[in-house]
Each structure stands twice: as C-alpha cells, then as structure tokens.
Amino acid sequence: MEIASADLADLAAGATLLGSGGGGDTVSAAILVRRVLERYGPVRLVAPSELDPDDWVITVAAIGAITVMLERLPGGDEFVTAVRTLERWLGVRASAVQGMEAAGFNALIPVAVAAWLDLPLVDADGMGRAFPRLDQTVFTLSEVPAAPAVLVDPSGDTVIIGSGDNAAVERLARAALPALGAWAASALYPMRAGQVERAALTGSFSRAIRLGRMLRTAQRTRARAGLSAEGGEILFSGAVLQVRQRTPYGLGVATLEHTRDRERTLRIELADEFLLALDDGSIVGCVPDLISLVDTRSWQPVSADRLTPGRHVDVLRLPAPARWHEPAGRALAGPAAFGLYLPEGM
Amino acid sequence: MTRIERTLRIGIDVGGTNTDAVLMDGTAVLAEVKTSTTDDVTSGIVAALRGLASAREFAPGQIQAVMIGTTHFTNAIVEASRLTETAVIRLALPATRALPPMVDWPDRLRLAIGDHGYLCHGGHEFDGRVIAPIDPEEIKKVAADLHAKGVRSVAISSVFSPVSAEFEQLAADVLRAELPEVHISLSHEIGRIGLLERENATIINACLRDLADGIVDAFGTALQTVGIDAPLFLSQNDGTLMDVEYTRRYPVATFASGPTNSMRGAAFLSGLADCAVVDIGGTTTDVGVLARGFPRESATEVDLGGVRSNFRMPDVLSVGIGGGSRVRGTAVGPDSVGYELTRRALVFGGDTLTATDLAVAGGLAEIGDPGLVAHLDRSAVRATLARIARDVAEIVDRMRTSAAPLPVVVVGGGSILLPDELPGFPDVRRPDHFAVANAIGAAIAQVGGEVDRIFAIGVLTREEVLEHAKAEALDKAVAAGARPESAQIVEVDEVPIAYLPGNAVRIRVKAVGELEVARA
C-alpha cells in the first residue's frame, strides 16, 4: 500500500477527526505534504511485519503549540535534521519512520518526512488519537523509551535529550520548547521493527484515511452511516450556548442545548482536546475515547479553540484503541491524567 | 443665507447585475431606485443618484454621507482580470520554506499576477524574538529584480508580524527608498494570525490597488457630476464602513460586503434579529442566517477566488437562480442574461425566456408587458416556479441548524420569483423596500476597529492585556471615523495558545461606533 497525493484529502479529514478537538492544523499540512509527494512520488506504507525485525524505525512528530505553527510554518529541513541527528547519536541508519500521533498535523508530517528521507512509512503510531503529552503513548505502556529524543527548530538549533524516563523527556522537551520558538520538529522513540510490531498501534494511517473518507462522504451526501461502521456514534446535536476556554489553572467548559429538546444540556470539559461529555449529568463520552465536534450543517470538524457560542454542532464519540482502556492505559491517558476525577468504573 | 441641515444618507449597492440606491433620513427610507450596473463605473452611479433625485427631490447639500457597497473587487479576483502585477516578499527564512508564497493558489490567478514570490530572511518568534535578522541588501536585490520586471505592487509578510510589525515596516522602508512609485501592502495591517491566510489576503489586496484607485476615482467623479460634496464611504466585509483613502489602500476589505449588507438591511427592515435571509439577485440566490442581528460567520476558511484566507465572512450558500436566469424547458439557470434583463426578457420585448418572465406569467409580479408572456403554458410555468421555491427552500433548510421555527426574510429584486410561503417555512416575510435591502444595509452601516493578536501574559496581567486590547480596538474604530462617544466594544474573544505553558493568549477585540459626520 502507498500514500499518494490523491489520498491526502482523506488523510487530512480523518486526522482532524482523530484530533478530538486538538492536534493542530491539517489544511496547510496537507498542502505541504502534497507538494512533497508531487516532487518525490508516493510514500510506501508498510506493516511492521514487512520489515526485518532488527531494522531501526524512528518516530517523528512536531511537538508544541499548534497556533504558533500556523504562523511559523515548517522549513522542511528541521524534520530531516532531527532524524539524521538521532541516527548519528545512536550510530544507526533508520529503515523506516513511523508516527507518534496519527492525528491532526502529526498524521500528515510523517508522510512528508518519509518522502524526504526516501524511506517507507510504517502504518503505526503511539497514540491512535491526539494527546497533549509526548509520553502519553502505548510505547510508554510497553516500556519503550522516548529517549534519546531530538528537537530541532527551523533555524537548525537542536536539543538532544539523551536519557530519562518518558515523563522526564516530556518535562525536558516542554521546558525547551519556548526557547525553540514554541514548536519543534522531533525524532524520538527509536525502536526496532520487532518492537514496533509488539508495542505500537498498527493500521493507524490507513484508519485515518478510512475515517477521512467516511467524513468526506458524510459532508457531501449527509449520509451518517459510515460513522457506526467505525464504531462511532452521534452523542448529541445542539447549539453551543457558552464556552469558557481552558486557562493555565483549569479546564475549559462548553455547554450545549439540544436541538429538539431544549431542556437537555450537554456539558463538555475541554483542554487542548475535548475530554468529557455529560448529557444532563450522565457521562456519555470520556477520554481516552475520542470526542469530536463537527458543524451540524457541513460536518466540518470544529477544534476546541475555535468553538464559539451560537455554533450548531454534532458531538461524535469514537472509541480509543483498546489498550487505552487497560488499567495502565487509563492511568497514563485516562480522565485522571487530565485532572478529571471520576467515580470508580467510569 | 440658509444653513442646510445635512441629515440624509445615500446607500448604494453595486452588484454584478443591478445597482441599487436608497435615500434615507435616519431610519426612514425616502426613496429607492434600481438601475442596471454599467461597464462604465461612473455612469452607473450617476444614473442611480439621478434616479433617487427624481424619485424624491433633495438638495445635494442635505446629504450627510454616501455609502457604497461594491462587488467590483470580488469580481476582478474571480475573473482574474484587471489585476495589478504583484510581488510577494516573505520575511521568514530559514522558516516556512516548505510552504512558499502562493503555494495554495490556483494557477490561473497566480499567473495572472505574475507569480513573483520571494523568500527572504527575517520573521519573529511568538514571543517577539527574531528568527533571523532582516538583511537590507537582500531586500535591495529583490527591489532591483522588481524594477527590472516592472512590478509595481508588493505584498510584504513576515512571520508573527501581528506580534511585531518591525520587519515588515523595515522592508517597506528599504523598498520605498529603492522604488518610490511602488504600492506596498503590509500583512500585519490586513490579516490575523495564520501566515499563509494573512499573506494571501495581503497579496489579493496588493493586486487590487490600481483597480481600487480607478474605482474610487470613478465613484468620486459620479458624486461630483451630481453635485454631492458629502464624504464617500465603502462597505467592508463585516458590515462596517471605511473611507476613500482607506479603500485605496485596503480594497480587499470590500470582499463579501454585498451579502453582509443585504443581511444587515434585511434585519433592519424586518425588525428580526434571528432569521434566514434569502437574497435573490439577477444571477444568484444567496442564503444566510442572522443570529442576534449579525450574519452568522463562516466556520471554515474562506475562499477568495480559490485562495484561502482567514477573513471573517458571512456564512452564505449560493445557488444559480436569479431574476435574469435563463429558462430552458424546466431548467432554470445557472446562466443569466444579467444586466441585459430589461432588453432580453420576453416581458420587455426581448427573445429570451427568463425566470422573471415566469414570475410575470405566474401572476407573482407585474413587470414589463404581461401580454408578451400570455402564450406560455400555465401549468408548465406553475411547475417551474414551484421548483424554484422548492430549490430555495432546500438551501434554507441546509442553513438551518435547529428544529426551532426559522422565519425567512426574502429580499432582493429577484425575490419576486418566490411565493409568500416556502415548503417547510410557513413564516416568509417580504419587508417594504425588500428590493433594495443591500443598499439599506450600506446606508445604516457603522464604523469598526479590530485587534487580533497574541499577547504574552507575564509582564502584564490578563486584565491589563485585555484593557490594552480594548483600548486599541476603540482607537482603531475612532481612527476609522467613529464618533468617540458612540464607540463600544461588541466582541471579545480570548483563546489560550494550545500546547504552550500558560503564558500567551490570542485576543480578538472588535469595537464599532456611529459614523462621525461633520455638519455643514
């Protein structure tokens, strides 16, 4: 299988849905990748089993502030520099790259990196959705270290985090980001193909493309059936009454009034992503599952930072990969990791 | 000598087909007129102004202000014609190279303005630090190249110029010293955060500069011709006004002012703050929704002739049905006889069957000579009119976002095509002066100012930052011509920057006020 420029619209749409309200801009990312693929040709998308188990696979992502990325656009070299630097540090050559977060901007940029490096892209990632922290991966659950991790800004300035557990890498990277200009190209989680097969979520990019195809069909035809085929459902349709964005000190909140039953209210807790949905007080969706909002009329995804009162939206829920529902997964990326303390068993 | 009180306002909307004009005294509509848009800009406006004078006599000295909304600039971009050859200088290297200027433009438009993109060193980080120092020699080299190519309009963008405009201004100074004649458009004065989208709007602005001079001069000549010495204003996309000098420099701000004006006019005429507005012109039907008196904004990135921008535009769905739509069998439009309606439609003695002819034959309107359409088959006419109503109702239904009853206000000259009830929408209103709602929207417009910027919170508290932004928006509104005591903040939007430790917020503040007009 391969990813060609004709697949990018689907990949971008699916990536936005998987962003669960976060994950960053996919429009300019799709333009970037399209240019790269038009120049270098399609990228080969491989299953980890297609590689030699001893082959090195390097994980790539942009890390940091998405609003900043809309302005300080990628130069391109920073991603290649990040991978090459990590290879040099380890004294290995990568045989393939994979995604860390197959959602939002980070579902698209690995395709360009694979093309730039003339390497295949492994159809795998570490999150299966968007999460805010780089240690919120199934790699962490499988004890694959994020370090050594490389961060590169567009000027080529480079930070190498040589060691540390994954939470420490996250902490150190976060501390370095302001000095790097708020976002950086990153190469991290180097692992063998055999480890990818055991540790990673597989089928990530093909799932994003499939979801995107479903979403775009729904946008054109108003057919909503494809959603349930992906295990998703529409939780609520309504108008946004009020939005309080996240602050440095606490979560944001949005309240919605149901379209047909005005007494019925949905409350959404949000940070960079949508985290929790309460329908008249009952939990109907909760991280690690994905809560995504789409415009009622156009079915264009609405990101958390663009949610405004008066918008009419459909609230969708998509299941997270099963590993996020295991105890270790919930501890790392469940409600409590976002400051939401729910009763046992929820 | 008698002092004449300047109390009257004239609103004019120049569409692709019709030019509409109204004479207003406060909230009272004294006269309305509908004329054909002419290729020659001046004579169309003169005809509209003379039409008003013959409908309701007034002394030119009574006119307080003339407000014009025009589609000239939008059409120039859509048609990729009458555009000035334009260069883009982006100050950003080594950042942003993966997405060079005009990367997402349709070829036709990019080639129409010469495809001159330059990436130079410069740009700032989100916190105001420099990405790379600007190099005046690099800019001078670009200037020499532009001189050799004869390029006369330049768009300059720089990374994070809404945070620090320093480099755009520096580059402009260098360019001006080298090429004093060149028009310069700076991105921080035009758009918001989002480099590509802001840069695109800046380029579009730059390539309209010559056309803007021509259009504004033609409007001025028209006013002179009829002896009106009142100030002239143009409508902007958000429904506020700008003066002539501002229009020369920022023609892109006129985009989408047509739909905005007609929706604001419909709100004013119907007294409804929440409704759907169906505006049927000569060629198209535009459907928008008013929420609390203002057009609902488009949620998606807005296309200007196929170019993405982050301009805030009303959310409008269009379909190619209008009063001038040609009818073939049971098919209506999308092509239209446009401004030739009064010559080519059957009811005017022409040879082309148009939607207007059906409306007359179906008894919905009395225009021209009904005898000339008496031969049309009645049941076919009724069926086609019913289909037009159904098609329009379907568009309104797509704009509807809740099950709550949605009143529909029908405006525009072509709205004679619709019956008094639409399938699924029992409450259809056609207010007085419906045919000139857009001109009324122009006449009642206010003046606004907007700030959209990323502020670092740390040195200043959040409250201080907000106060700062509000004061700046009010200053901008007053600078744009608002009466200071009438200026007020109408919108405050505060968004923390995602995935960044909490020290920066993006703040958007909008202020509007009543137009300050000097009394004679």
Side-chain angles (χ1 to χ4, degrees):
Chain A
M1 202 186 149
E2 58 181 30
I3 297 182
S5 48
D7 301 312
L8 292 176
D10 288 336
L11 178 58
T16 313
L17 206 56
L18 289 165
S20 189
D25 170 50
T26 57
V27 178
S28 50
I31 298 167
L32 185 160
V33 180
R34 180 165 296 118
R35 263 171 60 85
V36 174
L37 295 192
E38 276 164 8
R39 174 149 176 212
Y40 296 97
V43 160
R44 202 152 67 85
L45 189 66
V46 298
S49 57
E50 291 175 59
L51 301 169
D52 184 303
D54 285 333
D55 280 350
W56 281 94
V57 176
I58 287 179
T59 310
V60 294
I63 291 173
I66 50 179
T67 315
V68 171
M69 197 185 294
L70 290 178
E71 189 62 37
R72 201 195 64 182
L73 305 168
D77 288 350
E78 58 271 62
F79 288 94
V80 173
T81 305
V83 174
R84 293 294 180 225
T85 305
L86 186 56
E87 284 178 326
R88 254 200 329 278
W89 180 269
L90 290 167
V92 304
R93 283 304 261 188
S95 300
V97 294
Q98 70 174 344
M100 179 179 83
E101 175 188 45
F105 182 89
N106 276 335
L108 288 149
I109 198 68
V111 182
V113 178
W116 278 319
L117 294 168
D118 193 20
L119 291 177
L121 174 66
V122 185
D123 193 3
D125 83 318
M127 296 182 180
R129 51 159 294 161
F131 279 127
R133 285 173 27 198
L134 68 80
D135 60 333
Q136 286 171 314
T137 60
V138 292
F139 305 141
T140 301
L141 299 180
S142 296
E143 297 180 339
V144 178
V150 178
L151 307 177
V152 182
D153 81 1
S155 307
D157 293 351
T158 300
V159 170
I160 300 173
I161 300 170
S163 65
D165 65 25
N166 291 0
V169 173
E170 158 65 25
R171 196 173 63 243
L172 294 168
R174 211 53 59 179
L177 279 173
L180 291 165
W183 77 266
S186 182
L188 69 177
Y189 286 112
M191 62 186 89
R192 307 270 189 179
Q195 275 177 299
V196 174
E197 199 171 354
R198 285 189 301 278
L201 299 166
T202 52
S204 309
F205 292 93
S206 37
R207 178 186 183 215
I209 291 171
R210 215 171 49 236
L211 274 172
R213 200 167 294 146
M214 179 278 292
L215 184 66
R216 292 178 70 224
T217 304
Q219 288 167 357
R220 275 196 311 273
T221 64
R222 312 195 88 187
R224 308 299 191 228
L227 184 65
S228 52
E230 293 294 334
E233 59 179 322
I234 301 177
L235 295 178
F236 196 90
S237 296
V240 180
L241 292 178
Q242 212 179 11
V243 181
R244 198 183 71 217
Q245 289 288 351
R246 158 193 85 110
T247 68
Y249 317 105
L251 298 175
V253 181
T255 47
L256 285 76
E257 172 191 88
H258 198 274
T259 301
R260 283 180 302 279
D261 177 1
R262 301 212 157 173
E263 300 299 307
R264 188 173 153 196
T265 306
L266 189 82
R267 175 189 166 105
I268 300 175
E269 303 280 326
L270 57 103
D272 298 320
E273 297 93 17
F274 301 116
L275 301 175
L276 176 71
L278 297 160
D279 189 345
D280 271 349
S282 303
I283 297 175
V284 290
C286 183
V287 67
D289 286 337
L290 291 85
I291 300 167
S292 295
L293 270 55
V294 294
D295 183 90
T296 302
R297 179 167 63 76
S298 64
W299 258 43
Q300 292 285 346
V302 180
S303 63
D305 61 350
R306 291 188 71 171
L307 191 64
T308 48
R311 289 291 292 272
H312 289 258
V313 294
D314 287 355
V315 181
L316 315 182
R317 193 184 68 89
L318 282 162
R323 290 183 67 189
W324 288 124
H325 286 291
E326 292 165 9
R330 291 183 67 83
L332 184 61
F338 296 89
L340 291 163
Y341 299 99
L342 307 178
E344 284 290 320
M346 293 211 136
Chain B
M1 202 176 95
T2 328
R3 255 173 77 99
I4 301 174
E5 198 74 46
R6 287 187 186 262
T7 57
L8 306 182
R9 286 182 175 198
I10 292 175
I12 302 176
D13 182 274
V14 185
T17 309
N18 290 313
T19 297
D20 303 337
V22 292
L23 178 67
M24 293 186 74
D25 185 354
T27 57
V29 181
L30 302 183
E32 59 176 89
V33 64
K34 195 174 264 298
T35 59
S36 292
T37 297
T38 51
D39 285 338
D40 163 31
V41 180
T42 303
S43 61
I45 302 288
V46 168
L49 291 169
R50 291 205 167 126
L52 279 183
S54 61
R56 171 73 152 73
E57 207 179 321
F58 63 87
Q62 282 177 283
I63 305 300
Q64 193 183 45
V66 178
M67 289 82 167
I68 303 183
T70 176
T71 53
H72 278 112
F73 301 108
T74 314
N75 290 345
I77 292 296
V78 171
E79 293 160 14
S81 68
R82 291 162 286 158
L83 304 178
T84 308
E85 195 166 348
T86 293
V88 196
I89 302 176
R90 185 197 291 170
L91 308 167
L93 285 181
T96 79
R97 213 166 354 89
L99 289 162
M102 297 184 281
V103 61
D104 51 348
W105 283 45
D107 288 341
R108 188 170 85 111
L109 197 54
R110 196 178 65 239
L111 297 174
I113 63 166
D115 197 9
H116 309 293
Y118 298 89
L119 269 167
C120 296
H121 288 82
H124 287 80
E125 303 282 6
F126 71 102
D127 56 3
R129 269 186 305 129
V130 167
I131 293 178
I134 190 169
D135 175 3
E137 292 308 312
E138 198 179 4
I139 308 293
K140 282 184 194 165
K141 258 192 229 151
V142 174
D145 202 34
L146 296 182
H147 181 69
K149 289 175 174 167
V151 178
R152 297 190 310 103
S153 190
V154 181
I156 301 177
S157 66
S158 180
V159 176
F160 274 114
S161 62
V163 172
S164 171
E166 181 195 353
F167 284 173
E168 288 187 1
Q169 271 150 358
L170 251 164
D173 290 345
V174 174
L175 265 191
R176 253 187 226 109
E178 301 288 310
L179 307 167
E181 299 299 311
V182 84
H183 281 313
I184 295 174
S185 302
L186 302 181
S187 84
H188 75 274
E189 295 177 349
I190 287 175
R192 309 181 285 137
I193 295 285
L195 178 65
L196 280 183
E197 295 83 356
R198 181 176 72 250
E199 182 179 81
N200 285 346
T202 311
I203 301 167
I204 284 180
N205 190 71
C207 73
L208 291 170
R209 292 286 291 267
D210 286 340
L211 183 64
D213 283 338
I215 297 282
V216 164
D217 289 344
F219 287 163
T221 308
L223 295 196
Q224 269 174 19
T225 307
V226 298
I228 293 176
D229 63 349
L232 170 67
F233 295 90
L234 277 92
S235 303
Q236 304 189 65
N237 57 333
D238 63 355
T240 60
L241 298 168
M242 57 184 172
D243 67 21
V244 165
E245 281 319 303
Y246 192 91
T247 310
R248 288 184 195 275
R249 284 162 54 209
Y250 306 108
V252 72
T254 61
F255 277 67
S257 60
T260 303
N261 278 343
S262 83
M263 279 194 260
R264 300 259 306 150
F268 172 80
L269 290 173
S270 66
L272 291 175
D274 296 274
C275 59
V277 177
V278 176
D279 181 2
I280 309 189
T283 308
T284 59
T285 297
D286 295 333
V287 180
V289 171
L290 280 168
R292 295 175 216 145
F294 284 89
R296 185 170 77 205
E297 274 177 16
S298 173
T300 44
E301 306 281 346
V302 185
D303 248 305
L304 310 176
V307 174
R308 242 160 24 100
S309 88
N310 54 12
F311 256 50
R312 266 192 289 288
M313 298 278 188
D315 189 11
V316 171
L317 271 183
S318 296
V319 60
I321 297 174
S325 294
R326 297 180 64 150
V327 178
R328 297 184 190 82
T330 57
V332 180
D335 55 333
S336 164
V337 296
Y339 65 90
E340 294 181 316
L341 180 70
T342 53
R343 202 166 57 75
R344 294 181 61 189
L346 297 187
V347 289
F348 294 112
D351 57 0
T352 311
L353 181 61
T354 66
T356 296
D357 296 316
L358 298 185
V360 174
L364 293 175
E366 287 175 32
I367 301 172
D369 180 357
L372 293 172
V373 291
H375 65 282
L376 296 176
D377 177 76
R378 280 301 145 100
S379 63
V381 166
R382 266 199 302 276
T384 309
L385 285 170
R387 234 202 39 175
I388 291 174
R390 223 171 30 242
D391 287 355
V392 171
E394 196 190 301
I395 303 275
V396 179
D397 195 51
R398 279 172 64 191
M399 295 295 282
R400 179 220 284 276
T401 40
S402 89
L406 184 67
V408 178
V409 179
V410 180
V411 297
S415 63
I416 52 159
L417 301 182
L418 293 186
D420 289 330
E421 208 171 287
L422 285 175
F425 297 90
D427 185 1
V428 176
R429 307 186 194 188
R430 207 184 307 261
D432 288 346
H433 314 293
F434 66 87
V436 290
N438 42 14
I440 290 169
I444 60 167
Q446 294 179 305
V447 181
E450 191 182 301
V451 171
D452 182 342
R453 197 172 302 162
I454 290 180
F455 289 87
I457 291 177
V459 188
L460 298 174
T461 66
R462 176 181 164 275
E463 286 70 26
E464 286 169 331
V465 160
L466 270 177
E467 281 317 304
H468 192 262
K470 285 181 187 171
E472 199 179 327
L474 287 170
D475 284 349
K476 278 192 171 178
V478 171
R483 206 150 33 81
E485 62 276 18
S486 74
Q488 53 172 324
I489 302 292
V490 292
E491 207 178 301
V492 178
D493 199 17
E494 183 186 355
V495 182
I497 297 188
Y499 305 109
L500 195 66
N503 61 353
V505 289
R506 174 176 176 171
I507 290 179
R508 201 175 103 186
V509 180
K510 191 168 161 183
V512 298
E514 296 298 329
L515 184 63
E516 168 110 80
V517 183
R519 299 260 154 172

